Amino acid sequence: MAGAAATAIVVSLQLFVKGYESAQAVFSRWDYDPSLLSDEEEERFKYLFQKMIALDYIIRNTDRHMDNLLIRHVPGKVIELAAIDNGLAFPVKHPECVSRFRTFPFRWTAYRWAQQPWNQGLREHLLTSINPAFLHDLCHELKVLFRHRHINSRYLVFSQMRVVRGQVWNLYECLTKNEPPAGLIMKDPILVTRRYHRNRPTNNNWTQWFRVRRCDNQNRGCC
């Protein structure tokens, strides 16, 4: 209407994938006929699966199951993975430190690609990329993104960033020690805060720039 004040509407943008199936359907075929997956495709899928593990672990997404893990596989031609529906990502606290009875497992730990050593190319890429400056930039970009939410609380974002930094810290330690991806679930949940104010980290001395604190689970609730 002419003269009326414009109202900003915040929406989410979703990308739909075509030609993908649920992981449960694809894994069932692979289990029934292992020859459907060549050695090259096995290594390619291991790379994709472990890349998803790194993502899920950093954003603290414990809602990855066989219906929101989609796979496109045409034997001998293409194999791709799509991780959708990340609704339980970026919690303000580590879930297991909040509830006394409920568990929040990373379900991918049960699959062989999580129990095998990291894909060497992926491990080298992550070790090269992850450093204090990377973590600073990641948190800055997430803060900018979170400004578009309906509820924008500085304390809420502060709490989320402590969890994210802790996850990146543990992931980097896992990669450095060359532990398999499944070893991530053995790491203690930690919260990491900055020791600096505005200046971007200029070296790889993690303890110079960040402070680590173990989670306190003494006041967990019943659900």
Side-chain angles (χ1 to χ4, degrees):
M1 181 180 296
T7 301
I9 300 176
V10 179
V11 299
S12 64
L13 178 64
Q14 299 187 37
L15 177 66
F16 290 89
V17 294
K18 296 181 179 180
Y20 286 74
E21 301 176 83
S22 71
Q24 184 174 2
V26 177
F27 289 169
S28 295
R29 288 203 298 271
W30 290 351
D31 290 340
Y32 181 77
D33 185 1
S35 67
L36 291 174
L37 202 62
S38 68
D39 292 343
E40 292 78 10
E41 290 172 327
E42 171 76 21
E43 189 61 29
R44 165 68 177 169
F45 187 77
K46 173 183 170 181
Y47 164 80
L48 295 172
F49 194 86
Q50 292 181 347
K51 188 164 71 167
M52 178 202 69
I53 287 176
L55 170 65
D56 275 350
Y57 189 78
I58 289 175
I59 67 177
R60 200 59 175 84
N61 176 30
T62 54
D63 191 33
R64 180 70 59 216
H65 49 77
M66 294 303 98
D67 289 329
N68 60 22
L69 171 59
L70 306 181
I71 300 171
R72 181 177 178 227
H73 181 216
V74 181
K77 294 183 179 180
V78 62
I79 184 167
E80 295 293 342
L81 180 152
I84 65 171
D85 187 11
N86 304 298
L88 291 185
F90 301 112
V92 296
K93 295 181 180 180
H94 287 286
E96 62 269 43
C97 295
V98 177
S99 174
R100 187 177 305 170
F101 300 113
R102 292 180 61 191
T103 59
F104 299 85
F106 288 106
R107 294 182 176 87
W108 35 254
T109 57
Y111 296 93
R112 65 177 183 269
W113 305 283
Q115 298 165 7
Q116 295 170 358
W118 288 93
N119 172 276
Q120 190 59 30
L122 176 61
R123 177 175 178 266
E124 292 175 357
H125 173 72
L126 291 173
L127 282 173
T128 302
S129 302
I130 298 176
N131 53 52
F134 162 84
L135 186 51
H136 169 89
D137 293 342
L138 173 63
C139 290
H140 173 73
E141 292 173 9
L142 287 173
K143 290 176 184 177
V144 172
L145 179 64
F146 290 168
R147 290 174 188 168
H148 298 282
R149 295 184 303 192
H150 178 64
I151 300 176
N152 186 19
S153 164
R154 292 183 63 183
Y155 180 72
L156 183 69
V157 174
F158 169 79
S159 300
Q160 290 174 303
M161 293 305 102
R162 291 191 305 174
V163 174
V164 168
R165 293 191 196 100
Q167 296 299 96
V168 173
W169 183 290
N170 278 344
L171 174 61
Y172 184 76
E173 183 180 73
C174 176
L175 292 164
T176 301
K177 295 181 178 179
N178 205 13
E179 299 168 343
L184 288 166
I185 66 169
M186 304 302 295
K187 303 289 184 184
D188 290 331
I190 58 176
L191 301 174
V192 175
T193 54
R194 302 187 308 180
R195 292 183 182 272
Y196 62 98
H197 294 288
R198 295 184 180 276
N199 295 332
R200 187 172 182 264
T202 55
N203 59 48
N204 291 338
N205 186 346
W206 288 79
T207 55
Q208 175 184 343
W209 303 103
F210 300 105
R211 181 183 297 105
V212 179
R213 181 169 69 83
R214 303 296 173 186
C215 290
D216 179 11
N217 60 6
Q218 298 300 314
N219 298 316
R220 289 179 294 175
C222 63
C223 55

